[in-house]
């Protein structure tokens, strides 16, 4: 289930302008350091313009953790922080590289028009 | 969001999911609140989790605490000093038992043999490893790290005990 909400103004960003792949967004957020759920949501909102719902966020967290791409840290009071694993970093790099190649190829085609 | 609503929404998820994430998810819902869109999002996610469970519902119910004693003991810098002390002790024991069997008593030689040198290397060599372990893990997980350090100290003392008690 992917439920995300736009948090950027539609004037500056057209409808297709935001990126929504919750597991990738969570990995990208954790790439800058361990975070708990609320910090991830805020970071992802500023990073991609997408505000993940709690269910969507925890769906992504569960899948990423069960795949060994993120891992929990000791709880801080009631908050549960997570960090990206070495495998997670490798996966994130591979996915972003693919996206980068795709973006470059797509922009090249647009320039050729 | 009220505690009752947060609990209700969490209980919509499958049992395995609740066992693993229920507590933190409920706390997260309580902290972050949210309106109708949040409730709809959680309802849809819980339904989706029931239809397409994470890892077919066979997720690890109780994840291993990365800062537990058992996990930290598996770090090379935790078990290598213990292994070095035990190796030194075993080596010493073999030599002493061999001498007792051969001569009926322990021979104290003025010239240190190869075993003595190896013992010294093993005992001195573990000091930087112990220092690395303490610097790295004491700030992160003080209690289990202190337990591992105590274990390292115990095995080192056990290895040194025959040398000092038998005045080798």
């Amino acid at each position: 289930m992917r439920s995300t909400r736009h948090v950027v103004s539609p004037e500056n960003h057209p409808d297709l302008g935001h990126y929504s792949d919750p597991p990738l967004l969570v990995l990208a957020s954790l790439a800058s350091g361990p975070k708990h759920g609320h910090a991830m949501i805020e970071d992802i909102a500023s990073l991609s313009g997408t505000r993940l719902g709690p269910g969507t966020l925890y769906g992504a967290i569960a899948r990423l953790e069960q795949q060994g791409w993120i891992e929990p840290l000791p709880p801080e009071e009631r908050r549960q922080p997570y960090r990206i694993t070495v495998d997670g970093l490798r996966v994130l790099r591979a996915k972003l590289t693919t996206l980068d190649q795709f973006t470059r190829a797509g922009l090249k085609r647009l320039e050729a028009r | 969001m009220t505690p009752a609503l947060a609990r209700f929404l969490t209980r919509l998820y499958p049992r395995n999911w609740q066992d693993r994430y229920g507590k933190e998810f409920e706390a997260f819902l309580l902290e972050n609140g949210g309106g109708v869109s949040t409730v709809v999002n959680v309802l849809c996610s819980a339904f989706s989790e029931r239809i397409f469970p994470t890892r077919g519902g066979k997720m690890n119910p109780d994840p291993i605490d990365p800062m537990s004693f058992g996990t930290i003991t598996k770090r090379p810098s935790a078990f290598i000093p213990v292994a070095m002390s035990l190796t030194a002790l075993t080596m010493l024991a073999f030599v002493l038992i061999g001498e007792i069997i051969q001569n009926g008593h322990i021979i104290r030689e003025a010239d240190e043999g190869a075993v003595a040198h190896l013992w010294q290397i093993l005992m001195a060599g573990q000091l930087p490893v112990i220092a690395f372990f303490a610097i790295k893990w004491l700030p992160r997980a003080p209690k289990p790290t202190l337990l591992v350090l105590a274990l390292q100290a115990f095995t080192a003392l056990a290895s040194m005990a025959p040398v000092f008690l038998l005045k080798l």
Side-chain angles (χ1 to χ4, degrees), chain B:
Chain B
M1 184 175 290
T2 63
L5 180 59
R7 199 172 307 121
F8 168 74
L9 289 173
T10 306
R11 285 184 182 169
L12 294 175
Y13 281 86
R15 173 60 60 192
N16 281 348
W17 198 97
Q18 280 184 55
D19 289 344
R20 169 60 192 91
Y21 299 103
K23 207 173 151 190
E24 62 180 86
F25 187 64
E26 200 177 316
F28 177 76
L29 288 176
L30 277 174
E31 187 189 1
N32 289 277
V36 178
S37 64
T38 299
V39 173
V40 171
N41 175 253
V42 175
L43 282 172
C44 295
S45 297
F47 181 70
S48 171
E49 185 64 33
R50 286 191 177 274
I51 305 293
F52 306 107
T54 306
R55 287 183 78 111
K58 291 173 185 169
M59 65 174 70
N60 302 324
D62 187 16
I64 296 164
D65 179 2
M67 299 298 166
S68 70
F69 176 73
T71 316
I72 287 177
T73 319
K74 286 173 190 154
R75 303 279 170 177
S77 57
F79 68 76
I80 284 174
V82 175
M84 287 169 91
S85 291
L86 292 177
T87 307
L89 180 64
T90 311
M91 217 168 54
L92 206 61
F94 271 115
V95 171
L96 294 177
I97 291 166
E99 282 183 3
I100 289 169
I101 291 170
Q102 224 172 15
N103 308 309
H105 60 93
I106 298 163
I107 302 165
R108 291 181 181 83
E109 291 174 0
D111 183 32
E112 290 181 334
V115 173
H117 287 300
L118 270 175
W119 185 89
Q120 287 163 359
I121 289 167
L122 284 168
M123 296 311 288
Q126 64 181 271
L127 290 176
V129 185
I130 293 172
F132 170 79
F133 173 75
I135 291 166
K136 185 174 179 185
W137 290 102
L138 262 179
R140 297 184 192 186
K143 205 174 167 185
T145 305
L146 283 172
L147 283 172
V148 174
L149 284 172
L151 181 70
Q152 289 170 341
F154 175 76
T155 50
L157 286 172
S159 182
M160 283 189 276
V163 177
F164 291 103
L165 291 175
L166 301 171
K167 293 176 182 151
L168 297 172

